[in-house]
């Protein structure tokens, strides 16, 4: 038996919005640790890893480890039927052919339940090695979203260069080129800060299409963290307060 | 030009 109750149900709605453009079908892993997912996009260029820790739920029960395969577009259709103020409870029994989403309005005067059919999904669970990254950038998530969106109107790829002076985002396209530099800035409110931790300068190029998909997680966190090392996938992490994270990995473009 | 790398060349498969 699996049961997880989330008073701030809108969080689950936002989580789903942050992954459904990247992945069509995915296995959610339920354990005593929490509600987790690891899935790659169909072209194996990016990966999303989600963790909602069990202690972040108001009630959490997982009698044995379960994998629940869901079509994320269908899951999203159901979660969109929950109000933003609703409490959401997920339930599944051990036979595991359906998951039930129960929505309770804040006044408890409306209770809905939606039953989603589960599916068998072959998934490749990748081992992601622990890495010391050469550069870590923390910046406002809205700023990162704005930069990715703006640059994608000029070019298809972005070159991200981190040095002690700042982080530079550059693109080139048919109409011209663009460079945006964010300098380290620790003088403002914590959520507005840009912080650079640097072992050594690093420059990598990525497809903007994927980074734009990642920024669907912006409503989940005021800050985003980028971690980069030479010729390694970038890690783009959004921390979900008191619950866990949505973390994306994107393989770089590599010169022949 | 630059080639898109696959994640599978960085992370260990099942």
């Amino acid at each position: 038996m699996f049961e997880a109750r989330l008073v701030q149900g809108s969080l689950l709605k936002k989580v789903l919005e942050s992954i459904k453009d990247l992945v069509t079908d995915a296995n959610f892993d339920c354990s005593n640790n929490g509600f987790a997912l690891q899935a790659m996009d169909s072209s194996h260029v990016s990966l999303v890893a989600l963790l909602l820790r069990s202690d972040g739920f108001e009630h959490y029960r997982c009698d044995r480890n379960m994998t629940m395969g869901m079509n994320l577009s269908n899951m999203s259709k159901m979660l969109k039927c929950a109000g933003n103020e609703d409490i959401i409870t997920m339930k599944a029994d051990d036979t595991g052919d359906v998951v039930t989403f129960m929505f309770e309005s804040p006044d408890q005067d409306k209770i809905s339940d939606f039953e989603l059919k589960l599916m068998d999904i072959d998934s490749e669970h990748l081992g992601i090695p622990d890495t010391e990254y050469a550069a870590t950038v923390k910046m406002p998530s809205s700023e990162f979203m704005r930069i990715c969106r703006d640059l994608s109107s000029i070019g298809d790829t972005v070159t991200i260069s981190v040095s002690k002076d700042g982080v530079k985002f550059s693109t080139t396209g048919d109409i011209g080129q663009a460079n945006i530099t964010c300098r380290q800035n620790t003088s403002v409110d914590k959520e507005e800060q840009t912080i650079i931790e640097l072992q050594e300068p690093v420059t990598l190029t990525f497809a903007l299409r994927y980074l734009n998909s990642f920024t669907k997680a912006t409503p989940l966190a005021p800050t985003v963290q980028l971690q980069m090392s030479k010729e390694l996938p970038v890690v783009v992490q959004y921390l979900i307060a008191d619950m866990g994270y949505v973390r994306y990995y994107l393989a770089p473009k590599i010169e022949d | 030009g630059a080639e898109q790398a696959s994640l599978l060349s960085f992370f260990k498969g099942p």
Side-chain angles (χ1 to χ4, degrees):
Chain A
M1 165 102 191
F2 168 71
E3 197 169 276
R5 184 172 201 263
L6 191 59
V7 169
Q8 201 189 337
S10 60
L11 210 109
L12 193 62
K13 288 160 69 86
K14 289 178 192 169
V15 162
L16 209 68
E17 291 309 297
S18 74
I19 55 180
K20 79 170 173 50
D21 288 353
L22 219 52
V23 181
T24 311
D25 301 320
N27 281 325
F28 287 89
D29 298 310
C30 313
S31 70
N32 279 326
N33 194 33
F35 188 67
L37 167 150
Q38 193 210 76
M40 273 188 290
D41 75 282
S42 56
S43 55
H44 296 171
V45 169
S46 68
L47 179 146
V48 55
L50 160 75
L51 175 65
L52 300 177
R53 282 191 308 271
S54 51
D55 59 12
F57 291 86
E58 281 65 33
H59 166 75
Y60 190 94
R61 176 180 164 186
C62 184
D63 296 340
R64 62 179 186 88
N65 292 355
M66 279 177 76
T67 298
M68 299 197 293
M70 296 187 220
N71 174 283
L72 298 187
S73 157
N74 293 340
M75 184 181 178
S76 167
K77 280 180 196 166
M78 292 195 170
L79 290 182
K80 277 189 174 155
C81 301
N84 278 331
E85 309 301 320
D86 283 2
I87 299 164
I88 299 182
T89 302
M90 297 184 279
K91 284 184 200 175
D93 62 30
D94 287 347
T95 57
D97 48 5
V98 292
V99 60
T100 302
F101 300 105
M102 188 174 81
F103 311 142
E104 298 167 68
S105 66
D107 297 336
Q108 306 281 314
D109 54 355
K110 181 179 168 190
I111 313 277
S112 320
D113 57 82
F114 287 72
E115 205 177 84
L116 178 66
K117 290 176 188 168
L118 296 178
M119 47 200 292
D120 283 322
I121 298 167
D122 282 331
S123 73
E124 301 149 284
H125 210 88
L126 293 185
I128 301 167
D130 278 331
T131 310
E132 288 268 340
Y133 285 92
T136 299
V137 177
K138 290 185 188 118
M139 63 188 293
S141 57
S142 56
E143 187 61 55
F144 179 64
M145 179 173 72
R146 174 83 198 266
I147 290 168
C148 292
R149 192 192 64 199
D150 288 352
L151 294 186
S152 60
S153 67
I154 314 288
D156 297 330
T157 62
V158 60
T159 298
I160 307 177
S161 304
V162 192
S163 68
K164 63 177 175 27
D165 298 327
V167 52
K168 185 168 87 165
F169 301 87
S170 309
T171 192
T172 305
D174 294 340
I175 62 166
Q177 57 167 306
N179 297 293
I180 300 172
T181 301
C182 298
R183 294 214 176 99
Q184 170 143 294
N185 179 358
T186 54
S187 63
V188 288
D189 287 349
K190 200 159 189 289
E191 292 180 356
E192 297 299 315
Q193 288 180 349
T194 298
I195 300 169
I196 292 164
E197 290 160 25
L198 198 69
Q199 307 301 319
E200 59 177 331
V202 53
T203 296
L204 290 169
T205 298
F206 301 101
L208 274 165
R209 181 163 74 87
Y210 293 95
L211 292 176
N212 268 316
S213 279
F214 301 170
T215 63
K216 294 277 161 60
T218 305
L220 285 168
T223 13
V224 62
Q225 175 178 280
L226 314 178
Q227 289 178 295
M228 305 202 317
S229 281
K230 191 176 178 223
E231 291 185 358
L232 277 186
V234 62
V235 189
V236 180
Q237 175 173 269
Y238 296 84
L239 284 181
I240 306 169
D242 303 324
M243 282 224 81
Y245 57 78
V246 179
R247 204 178 271 166
Y248 303 94
Y249 296 82
L250 176 60
K253 298 257 185 180
I254 290 178
E255 288 296 334
D256 293 337
Chain B
E3 292 248 328
Q4 177 62 62
S6 164
L7 268 188
L8 300 173
S9 53
F10 300 100
F11 298 155
K12 285 190 287 266

